[in-house]
Amino acid sequence: MNHHSSFRRYPMFRARVRRVVFGLTAIVAMVLGMAGMGASTAAADTVIATIPAGTAPLGVAITPDGSFAYVTNGGAGTVSVIDTATNNEITTVPVGDSPFGVAITPDGSFAYVANRGPGTVSVIDTATNTVVGAPIPVGEIPSGVAITPNGSFAYVTNSGSGTVSVIDTATNNEITTVPVLGIPAGVAITPDGSFAYVTNFVAASEVSVIDTATNTVVGAPIRVGADPAGVAITPDGSFAYVANNNPGTVSVIDTATNTVVGAPIQIGPDPFWVAITPDGSRVYVVDDTADEVSVIDTATNMVIETIAVGAAPRGVAITPDGTRAYVTNYDDNTVSAIAIDQCLGSLCLDLGSLTGAAPVRAASSADTPTV
């Protein structure tokens, strides 16, 4: 039996099992907490697996059911497919030269991969893990990819052309290009699909906002820190978090006013990419010089912990259930799987790994950042 196909056939079953385990574990946590049992000292998010990938892994995206992570290998011209149940690479898919950004359609059927070398986008059928159709020509050095919530369009930043390509996913043709400032890098789309936020790396140090109804830039560019790279939007659409590579900060944009709110959040030397948990409570930022991931509490916009990973982390994605983060380590040719602590009131537990999980614990004062 094909192991990949057998897991693919029952994605809803796997999701239901995970939800049931979450619920049962929560009940156990509450019982132990009330009885004063099973508590331990405060623990942080934990790397539970280091997964070999291809050469120079960069981007990462996770299927909507959480079953598989797709990792672009920039130095190999391939995409690694990781089974998140076992944290093993189950196959590699040849794509174009120097793949970077990757995004998966909301129904989980296809992965769109930006190939920087030839200036194309490859489309992978996730049921068969094969490339379908011819590569889609876009601009020069395509980097970031984001797909609208309805799955109809893919937005691709062309770092060498100063544009954003819009691909109709029904025909897999580029239907228009949108000029932006500087060197466009990251792209994220609001949950309602109305706007795409594009970071303008190096030259502009700004974020452009594209109205997806007209595919035009609206309003003045939003000034952030120097060399903005990754961008992610909170699940409620209220804020965009932008990693500023040069000053080592994260800027927070209020999407209602398209203005930066608060002071820049100090991270480390070189923050690069960003991901936000499904509940919107935490932001994960990779730092490719410090070899770590910083975790920001969105309630306070303070860094509450850092997690050591592999060398030169570049990409990060979080599973839809919020229990794990996957980080690509460019210089190590690996992917770090991080178990994310889950807190229920005063009780915290590690649910990122259903095997070998840390014991249920009571939250302590060490969990609260010192102001």
Side-chain angles (χ1 to χ4, degrees), residues 1-369:
M1 178 183 293
N2 182 284
H3 181 71
H4 178 202
S5 298
S6 64
F7 274 84
R8 177 71 63 192
R9 196 174 295 127
Y10 304 107
M12 292 301 295
F13 176 77
R14 296 181 73 191
R16 287 172 183 168
V17 168
R18 189 170 287 180
R19 287 195 296 268
V20 169
V21 172
F22 183 95
L24 290 175
T25 311
I27 292 171
V28 172
M30 288 187 287
V31 171
L32 291 176
M34 289 185 291
M37 300 168 58
S40 64
T41 57
D45 294 354
T46 306
V47 174
I48 57 172
T50 300
I51 308 159
T55 305
L58 282 164
V60 56
I62 297 171
T63 53
D65 65 4
S67 299
F68 300 96
Y70 283 71
V71 175
T72 59
N73 300 308
T78 62
V79 172
S80 294
V81 183
I82 295 170
D83 184 335
T84 60
T86 61
N87 282 329
N88 289 320
E89 179 190 72
I90 59 170
T91 192
T92 58
V93 184
V95 288
D97 183 47
S98 300
F100 183 10
V102 56
I104 297 173
T105 54
D107 65 1
S109 297
F110 299 99
Y112 283 70
V113 178
N115 305 307
R116 291 180 297 173
T120 63
V121 171
S122 296
V123 183
I124 298 172
D125 182 332
T126 59
T128 61
N129 281 325
T130 56
V131 171
V132 293
I136 306 165
V138 287
E140 296 180 10
I141 316 180
S143 298
V145 186
I147 297 175
T148 54
N150 63 7
S152 297
F153 301 99
Y155 283 71
V156 181
T157 59
N158 301 309
S159 298
S161 302
T163 62
V164 175
S165 292
V166 183
I167 296 171
D168 183 334
T169 59
T171 62
N172 280 337
N173 290 320
E174 179 190 70
I175 59 171
T176 192
T177 58
V178 184
V180 290
L181 294 174
I183 301 174
V187 56
I189 297 173
T190 53
D192 64 3
S194 298
F195 300 99
Y197 284 69
V198 178
T199 60
N200 302 308
F201 192 74
V202 181
S205 300
E206 293 172 334
V207 173
S208 297
V209 182
I210 297 172
D211 183 331
T212 59
T214 61
N215 283 324
T216 56
V217 173
V218 293
I222 306 164
R223 188 76 180 179
V224 289
D227 302 346
V231 55
I233 297 173
T234 54
D236 65 2
S238 297
F239 300 98
Y241 283 74
V242 179
N244 304 310
N245 189 250
N246 189 23
T249 63
V250 169
S251 295
V252 184
I253 297 171
D254 183 332
T255 59
T257 61
N258 281 336
T259 56
V260 171
V261 293
I265 305 165
Q266 192 66 46
I267 299 294
D270 292 296
F272 193 69
W273 226 245
V274 190
I276 299 176
T277 53
D279 64 1
S281 65
R282 300 184 193 180
V283 179
Y284 284 68
V285 185
V286 296
D287 189 313
D288 68 355
T289 296
D291 298 340
E292 65 186 19
V293 178
S294 294
V295 183
I296 298 170
D297 182 342
T298 58
T300 61
N301 281 335
M302 295 177 63
V303 174
I304 56 174
E305 66 172 313
T306 56
I307 308 155
V309 289
R314 296 289 176 86
V316 58
I318 297 172
T319 54
D321 63 6
T323 62
R324 292 191 198 178
Y326 284 79
V327 175
T328 59
N329 303 309
Y330 185 85
D331 285 351
D332 276 355
N333 303 328
T334 62
V335 175
S336 296
I338 299 172
I340 298 176
D341 267 357
Q342 307 293 311
C343 293
L344 303 169
S346 62
L347 293 174
C348 295
L349 50 149
D350 292 321
L351 294 175
S353 173
L354 299 182
T355 59
V360 174
R361 64 178 176 82
S364 75
S365 59
D367 295 318
T368 305

